[in-house]
Amino acid sequence: MSTFGAVWRLAAQEGGSGSSLPQSISRAPRALLAALAALATCATAASLPAPVVHADFDAISTGGRSSGLQIRTQFPAPDVVPGVLGDAWRTDGFSSYAEANVVLEPRKGLTISFWVALESYPSDLEVPVKDLVPSSFVQQAAGDKGFDLFIDTYGRWGFKVATSAGPLLAKAKAKFPLGRWVHVVATVDPASGAASLLQDEKVVGAARGEPGMSLRLAQAPLRLATAPTDTKILDFTINRLNGAFDLVAVYPEALSDEQRALLPRPSEIPDAAASLVVPDSRFATDPLRPRVHALPPANWTNEPHGLIRIGDTWHLFYQRTPNGPFKTLMHWGHMSSRDLLEWENHQDALAPELQSDDFGFDMKGIWSGHVIADGGKAFAFYTSVNHGDRLAASNPGVAMAISEDPQLKQWKKQGPIVNSRGAKDIRDPFLWKEGNTWHMIIGAALESGGGLMYYVLEAAEKGARWQPRQKFMEPAYRMLDIGSEIWEMPVFERLSDEVSILVVNPIGGKVSKYGEPSTRAVYWTGTWSGGTFKPFFRTPQPLDLVPGHLAPTVGRAADGSLRAIGIVDERRTPLAQQRAGWAHTFSLPRTWTLMKDRRTLGQAPAPELAALRAGPAIDRSAVAIGRAPQLLHAGHRAYELLIELDDEQPAAGPIHLDVLASPDGQEFTRLSFDPAKGAVVVDKSKSTLSADGEGPQVLRGNYSAEAFGAMQRLRVFVDGSTVEVFINDAAAYSLRSYPSLPSSTEIRIGSDAAKPLLATVNLWPLRLPK
């Protein structure tokens, strides 16, 4: 740390609110005064004026104050992370910003200096470029007055300031860097009429007005990480910044080159990775947030895709809004794991971009797709959407990106490879290779409803090209669809040498999230031969026994077996998602197998999950399950429960399992299993005392003993608000439940049978990730 850097930080800490440096000095210890006096006699005659704002965030108070700045956040306290010197303030991207009351002199000028590391560019609505509402690093603006150090959702940034000579705009030519600490300085000098923008001590933008001009200042608070104008989706403010700030200073005059050289800076710029981690403290008091399930550090996630194993590492890509729990301008998030249990989050793999001033082929979002590996490279195929012509601009289209990075962190976009010709709409490509030939299916909206587009990569004189094929399935899609508008997230895999499976997620039309038919994944098994898939049955089978888990992505383990991870979507209000600061979670990994009938898909917890078990908390045999419920005092928020029924005593009535139950019976989620009728029921009518729950309170499903065997073995995983159920390690379903009472962690087991059933009951708390 430079001498001046140390003195500057001490002055800030001594100064309390820090509205003027002389007051800080008057209260400083003699050692500090001596250091300042020594500094004043240095070889250079330059010195810094008193800043009107100076904040190093090393002592953010419980009230959210830091040296004159008031930090606003919806969470219990501001996020604190490592900075370039000491601590930094971590913003959340949607609720947090900082402000201070600052008075400047119109004729003296202005200098703003700060260090910032951005995780992502700010969000916006999916609108043409001319309608964007940028965010701001620092601004004090209202109407046509004030200044604004702005950045938009495509990384374009600059410094605007209103003057008596008209507005000045110093605009950077290159996009703002992501994922690293950047020193930004913006200055305007009324005397010379010059405005400058510096990045890491280099001028990246400049503008000139008239010498002797004055600033047209705004009567508004000075604010960090939020725009002068909010952009809204529902109740969400979406155009705020997601990153970390440190060493923020605002000076009421234009600093010279010599003065700027005195600004505090580290001797070595630290890696920003630790600064962009979401601190555990943000969600420490949220009992509904899963701890064992894979999910991003915060904000919105949706369909996972591209589950792929490279060497001994699994990679998972997924839909993401990095800046808040709302859906707009999708990115591709990226996480990796060695064991499918502990996941490391990485910087987003793909984000919307512009190729010209007002157009980009994926400017409206990087939507779902697939990742494959071939020839030592990885290829990402994704749905790209823009504001251009449907066919000429491939809107929507399937675009491709290539990675030669063994860790799949660096990608180079290649642009669209197919458009929506032949369909009303397309999305979500899935690829597989047979011999030397690559095949691709894409979810489609056809004239008759949901269906698929099918392509084969064929060699040509000018390189391989994707050529459409007339059909992929027999019979026609209209004879297989359930009244949807489009099929999403197709998956096509072999379950054996003779049997393949097609999974799709029909949406729209007669299909709705809370109605019937319900939005859910469905499948057909059948034969694949000669370029045609022939299903064994026309009516699709539900992937899960009840709705709640959908859009799985699949990959092969080292032994060739299939692993699948889907989304367990939210069933609570947008307002509840906003208060939480995150939305949706991924399912636990499952293993897909073909059942003995050679027609039915079997789903079991992935064998890797056994490593999550801590020492048993309950290990009881001959437990009588009758009309007087057995109470299990669990007290755990993440556990695996195993109930094995006595196979010599068939159940004569439904078995009821209450999870997330309060001791007083006010809250519980009831899972019912009726072996005799082949039925399962989820009853959430008493799952919460809050008004946050959404969707059907009662869900029913059919269980086939012929396909899955008689109900004997129930495995239930509970993790925060997520409940995942497996019957006989063959049939499965997942759901969300949101109890409001801290005590709602208990378990009750009962039965309507006249004679109690005997069962072995085991419960293991789950080891939480480190």
Side-chain angles (χ1 to χ4, degrees), residues 98-259:
E99 62 183 356
N101 292 317
V102 171
V103 178
L104 299 169
E105 292 291 335
R107 294 191 176 276
K108 287 190 174 181
L110 169 73
T111 299
I112 306 167
S113 172
F114 58 91
W115 289 78
V116 65
L118 288 185
E119 179 185 349
S120 56
Y121 299 133
S123 293
D124 209 320
L125 300 176
E126 294 165 10
V127 295
V129 168
K130 65 181 179 63
D131 298 321
L132 294 174
V133 180
S135 188
S136 305
F137 294 107
V138 181
Q139 55 87 7
Q140 188 177 26
D144 60 353
K145 294 183 179 181
F147 58 87
D148 186 5
L149 227 170
F150 65 89
I151 182 169
D152 75 7
T153 193
Y154 301 112
R156 302 178 303 176
W157 66 295
F159 178 46
K160 294 188 298 186
V161 57
T163 76
S164 60
L168 299 185
L169 173 59
K171 191 174 181 180
K173 293 182 179 179
K175 292 192 299 185
F176 195 84
L178 293 177
R180 71 174 180 85
W181 280 107
V182 179
H183 184 206
V184 176
V185 175
T187 182
V188 57
D189 182 8
S192 66
S196 300
L197 179 64
L198 292 87
Q199 173 188 318
D200 298 327
E201 283 56 71
K202 295 181 180 179
V203 176
V204 294
R208 184 166 293 277
E210 296 178 358
M213 67 186 186
S214 60
L215 305 184
R216 298 183 66 230
L217 299 169
Q219 300 299 311
L222 181 141
R223 287 179 171 151
L224 277 64
T226 190
T229 302
D230 290 341
T231 296
K232 296 280 191 177
I233 293 179
L234 300 176
D235 291 328
F236 299 96
T237 299
I238 68 171
N239 60 332
R240 288 182 175 149
L241 289 187
N242 175 17
F245 282 82
D246 201 2
L247 304 183
V248 176
V250 179
Y251 296 91
E253 62 183 71
L255 300 184
S256 66
D257 292 346
E258 292 78 10
Q259 288 174 313

Side-chain angles (χ1 to χ4, degrees), residues 459-661:
E461 289 185 6
K462 296 184 179 181
R465 297 188 65 181
W466 289 100
Q467 298 292 347
R469 287 290 185 266
Q470 193 68 26
K471 66 177 181 178
F472 168 74
M473 291 182 74
E474 189 179 288
Y477 298 120
R478 61 182 174 80
M479 303 179 70
L480 304 169
D481 188 34
I482 58 174
S484 73
E485 179 180 337
I486 188 170
W487 291 357
E488 291 190 328
M489 297 298 296
V491 168
F492 187 65
E493 285 283 356
R494 287 194 180 272
L495 295 178
S496 71
D497 291 339
E498 298 82 21
V499 179
S500 296
I501 184 171
L502 172 67
V503 180
V504 300
N505 295 261
I507 68 165
K510 297 179 181 178
V511 182
S512 64
K513 182 175 180 179
Y514 301 124
E516 186 59 43
S518 177
T519 304
R520 63 194 304 182
V522 299
Y523 75 89
W524 298 266
T525 53
T527 60
W528 168 252
S529 178
T532 302
F533 176 59
K534 296 182 178 180
F536 296 137
F537 38 82
R538 291 190 179 184
T539 302
Q541 299 298 301
L543 185 72
D544 279 28
L545 298 181
V546 299
H549 163 269
L550 66 159
T553 180
V554 297
R556 297 277 177 183
D559 62 0
S561 59
L562 279 172
R563 299 290 183 271
I565 295 176
I567 190 81
V568 188
D569 65 349
E570 293 292 346
R571 298 290 169 133
R572 57 178 168 176
T573 64
L575 181 59
Q577 296 172 43
Q578 177 183 347
R579 290 197 303 263
W582 58 277
H584 306 299
T585 184
F586 303 131
S587 71
L588 293 173
R590 301 177 178 184
T591 297
W592 281 8
T593 56
L594 186 63
M595 301 304 295
K596 291 181 180 180
D597 65 1
R598 314 299 291 174
R599 298 289 186 272
T600 304
L601 174 69
Q603 298 186 93
E608 291 85 353
L609 293 176
L612 287 176
R613 293 174 175 174
I618 297 174
D619 183 1
R620 295 167 57 186
S621 59
V623 175
I625 302 176
R627 294 186 176 180
Q630 289 276 351
L631 177 63
L632 305 178
H633 294 283
H636 305 288
R637 298 199 179 276
Y639 60 85
E640 177 188 350
L641 174 68
L642 173 61
I643 302 172
E644 295 180 285
L645 301 175
D646 186 343
D647 58 7
E648 296 182 359
Q649 186 184 17
I655 300 165
H656 304 299
L657 173 63
D658 294 343
V659 296
L660 300 173

Side-chain angles (χ1 to χ4, degrees), residues 92 94 120 237 275 277-278 314 355 453 469 607 618 722:
D92 60 45
F94 70 100
S120 56
T237 299
S275 306
V277 169
V278 174
W314 289 93
Q355 280 76 51
M453 300 296 287
R469 287 290 185 266
I618 297 174
T722 305

Side-chain angles (χ1 to χ4, degrees), residues 640-705:
E640 177 188 350
L641 174 68
L642 173 61
I643 302 172
E644 295 180 285
L645 301 175
D646 186 343
D647 58 7
E648 296 182 359
Q649 186 184 17
I655 300 165
H656 304 299
L657 173 63
D658 294 343
V659 296
L660 300 173
S662 61
D664 58 9
Q666 290 191 83
E667 291 186 332
F668 61 88
T669 296
R670 174 158 292 181
L671 313 176
S672 296
F673 309 89
D674 192 333
K677 294 182 178 179
V680 296
V681 178
V682 175
D683 186 347
K684 298 196 292 182
S685 59
K686 294 188 177 180
S687 63
T688 182
L689 298 179
S690 78
D692 291 339
E694 272 195 338
Q697 298 300 305
V698 178
L699 300 168
R700 303 178 187 276
N702 297 317
Y703 176 88
S704 172

